[in-house]
Every structure is written in C-alpha cells, then in structure tokens.
Amino acid sequence: MKLEWEVAELRLRDPFKIASTDADLTRQTVLVRAGGGVGEAAPRSYYGESIKGVVNDLERCRAELESLPDDAPIESVMRRFKGGRPARCALETALWDGLGRSLGAPLWKLWGADPSEMPPTSFTIGLDDRARMLEKAEAAAEYAVLKVKLGGKNDLDVIRALRGASKKPMRVDANGGWTREEAVELCAALADLGVELVEQPVRADDIDGLRYVRERSPLPIFADESCRSAKEIPTLAGAVDGVNLKLSKCGGPTEVLTAARLARSYGMRVMTGCMIESSAGVAAMAHIAPLADHADLDGHLLIDNDPFEPMLMKNGRLILTNRPGNGLRRRQI
C-alpha cells in the first residue's frame, strides 16, 4: 500500500478570527493519498497539534503501512497506525475514499446515509468589526443559515445589526469566550433576537459550566471543543443539548459515526462540522451529514485555492452525487 502526502497552504478569502485565536490569512493542511483515495488532516494548535506532528506520524508509520497489500481491510490498517487524530483522520478517510472508488459506490451509500436528508449548511461569519461582519453576511446570500462567531466585546450589537440585515436562521459560536454568567445573560438576549442555538459558550474543560448555562438558557447548547470523541459523550450527557463532530478533531469517519450514534442514545442532537480545510475533508463529512440534525460544512467555502473542484450546492444544501468515494475531482492546474 503506497502512502503519500503533501502539505497544502490554503488562502482564506477574508481574515478569519474566533474568540481563542488571532486572525488568520492562511491555513495549512496535509493531504494524504493511500489505498486509491485521498484524505485530509487539519491539525489545531488548540489541541497541541501541528503540521509537523502530522507529517512525523505519517513518516513513522510509512514502512509498516507500505508493507501491507493494497486491499488490506481498513480496520486492519488502522490498528497498525499509532499516530494522532489528524493524521489518523487523513489516513482513514483516504482508505474509505479508495474503497468507495474500488467498489464504484459513493461514501454515503457505504455509511448508510440518504442524500435527500441533507440538512442545509451554515456559513460562518468570523469575528471582525461590525461593518465588516455585515458585509460578510450580505455576501453569503446563497447560504440558508448563518453561523456567527462571537466572544468579542460587542456581541449583542453585532447580532442586532445582523438580524436587522437578515431574517435567515442564525446560530452563534463563542468558542469558549464567555464566562458562565455572561453566557446565561447573552443566551436570553440572543433568544429574543431569533438565534437558534449557541455553540461552546464556555471553556472546553468547564463541563459543569456547560450544564450551568444549559439549565438557565432558553436556547439549545452545543459542545464543540468539549467533545473530541465518543468517550466524551457520556460526560456531556445532561450538560448540553447537542455536539458538533468533526473528522480531524475526532480522528476519522469511524469515530465520528460512533460518536454520533452514542450521542443519539443519550438524546443529544448531532451537528456535522469541519475545520478550515479543502474539499477533501469537507466532502467526506458531507457524506455523513444526512445522518445528522445540522450541518456546518463551509470550511472549503472560506478559501480561494481549493485543490479540488467544488461540491455542488442547491438551496443552501451540499449535493451528494453518485460518483464513487468522496465524489471529488482534482482541479487541473
């Protein structure tokens, strides 16, 4: 089994900022090819991850993986891989893509999803001055749902201005930027402004804080940074209404599917999310999205040099085709 990878620098259409980071102009990811398919690693420094760490993980396992036959079962390959979650995600996603292509089947069919049940994806408005955030919202006319990054100094003013300019469904994500008390106060005001849900209002490690906010909030509370895999789901039960699952964060499709099923068993809602990454990562998650309640799959829409031809979209929903694997085609350069 041949294992290859490349580090890709993605250019953002606009500077992108959330409560826990400075504004970014570029992001790096690692595109991995294995088993006839492609996957993507999008490490986050927030979790102590790095591009160098992903490459080191792949290098360390290359000899053993390349000794395996091309048709080695995915579970067998992944048992041998000892790398971190982003590298694991890229490898496993590539293998699933390759399996789909070899069978002539799209990933949604392998994973038991129904494309007709695809939820609309939100489009993210990063933290910025109020005027620029309004411009970004106006430019997002083709998207059915807005997701607004908060955690700044004038959060309510921003939402009031956006609500005055748009009647679209709106969600907010504080990326852990509020205290418990701030979150409770803001959730009440945001509900009056027609916001649908609030994501990660307090720090990732403050599970009691999530529960405190949820018990006092008129809005559903979702965990993102607090939920990295299926093992966090039981701890979050009763503390949140839903979880945002991401391939690179969780470590690949198998873990995402496991976490989604476990979350359902606890009565939680499921959102399929992504990092800022190319279509290689987003498309794989899009094939899981029909199994979820909400989709936040716009990472590829925030960059202007996607290495792959874009997925089709209609009425704010990504369209899954019958093309095999992830359905992507590399751009001709």
Side-chain angles (χ1 to χ4, degrees):
M1 174 182 296
K2 191 172 184 180
L3 177 64
E4 298 178 311
W5 62 84
E6 63 179 292
V7 176
E9 183 166 283
L10 307 177
R11 298 190 306 266
L12 276 69
R13 296 182 185 277
D14 294 289
F16 187 83
K17 177 176 170 55
I18 62 175
S20 59
T21 69
D22 295 327
D24 290 328
L25 295 174
T26 62
R27 287 283 181 95
Q28 286 190 319
T29 64
V30 183
L31 299 175
V32 173
R33 290 179 292 277
V38 63
E40 185 167 6
R44 285 194 62 190
S45 59
Y46 180 89
Y47 294 122
E49 302 163 349
S50 67
I51 294 294
K52 182 178 180 181
V54 171
V55 172
N56 287 343
D57 286 345
L58 296 169
E59 284 281 11
R60 189 164 52 249
C61 296
R62 170 182 257 169
E64 181 174 7
L65 295 184
E66 291 194 337
S67 70
L68 299 174
D70 290 341
D71 60 351
I74 294 175
E75 289 187 5
S76 177
V77 176
M78 298 312 299
R79 279 198 300 270
R80 290 168 167 79
F81 187 73
K82 306 303 181 185
R85 293 179 185 180
R88 186 176 187 84
C89 164
L91 175 60
E92 190 196 349
T93 304
L95 295 175
W96 275 106
D97 180 35
L99 177 62
R101 291 175 188 273
S102 71
L103 296 174
L107 291 177
W108 59 261
K109 185 169 290 188
L110 300 184
W111 292 334
D114 181 349
S116 69
E117 297 179 359
M118 174 71 76
T121 186
S122 56
F123 184 83
T124 303
I125 310 297
L127 276 174
D128 211 323
D129 63 74
R130 186 170 60 182
R132 186 68 188 114
M133 292 178 78
L134 277 168
E135 290 176 6
K136 292 177 182 178
E138 290 172 2
E142 65 181 299
Y143 306 106
V145 182
L146 296 180
K147 177 176 175 178
V148 186
K149 295 290 188 177
L150 296 181
K153 296 180 180 179
N154 302 298
D155 287 340
L156 280 182
D157 288 342
V158 167
I159 296 299
R160 288 190 184 106
L162 289 172
R163 179 51 78 209
S166 174
K167 302 303 180 186
K168 290 181 180 179
M170 194 176 297
R171 304 163 187 165
V172 304
D173 183 2
N175 289 110
W178 298 333
T179 65
R180 300 180 183 188
E181 293 74 19
E182 287 172 338
V184 171
E185 182 178 350
L186 286 165
C187 283
L190 292 169
D192 290 339
L193 291 168
V195 169
E196 286 188 334
L197 61 85
V198 174
E199 192 175 328
Q200 201 62 51
V202 298
R203 295 190 328 268
D205 61 352
D206 190 8
I207 306 304
D208 287 339
L210 287 171
R211 183 175 290 104
Y212 177 93
V213 175
R214 185 194 181 217
E215 289 173 349
R216 294 160 176 81
S217 171
L219 295 175
I221 303 299
F222 276 61
D224 179 0
E225 286 89 348
S226 296
C227 183
R228 293 195 67 193
S229 65
K231 71 179 182 180
E232 280 84 42
I233 299 294
T235 302
L236 289 166
V240 296
D241 298 283
V243 291
N244 185 348
L245 304 175
K246 302 175 181 178
L247 283 176
S248 197
K249 177 179 71 170
C250 293
T254 298
E255 186 66 20
V256 166
L257 290 164
T258 300
R261 293 185 184 109
L262 187 58
R264 292 275 196 223
S265 75
Y266 279 98
M268 297 182 195
R269 288 150 63 184
V270 175
M271 179 185 295
T272 47
C274 63
M275 307 299 189
I276 294 179
E277 53 193 323
S278 80
S279 290
V282 177
M285 197 54 151
H287 285 261
I288 297 175
L291 300 172
D293 303 285
H294 309 287
D296 178 31
L297 298 175
D298 64 342
H300 63 305
L301 303 172
L302 304 177
I303 61 176
D304 69 3
N305 65 331
D306 194 337
F308 302 90
E309 294 180 1
M311 289 176 284
L312 299 176
M313 182 178 290
K314 184 177 181 181
N315 298 327
R317 289 173 166 81
L318 294 170
I319 297 174
L320 299 178
T321 70
N322 286 310
R323 292 179 186 171
N326 64 20
L328 293 181
R329 294 171 177 164
R330 188 86 186 219
R331 289 185 187 273
Q332 298 299 316
I333 300 176

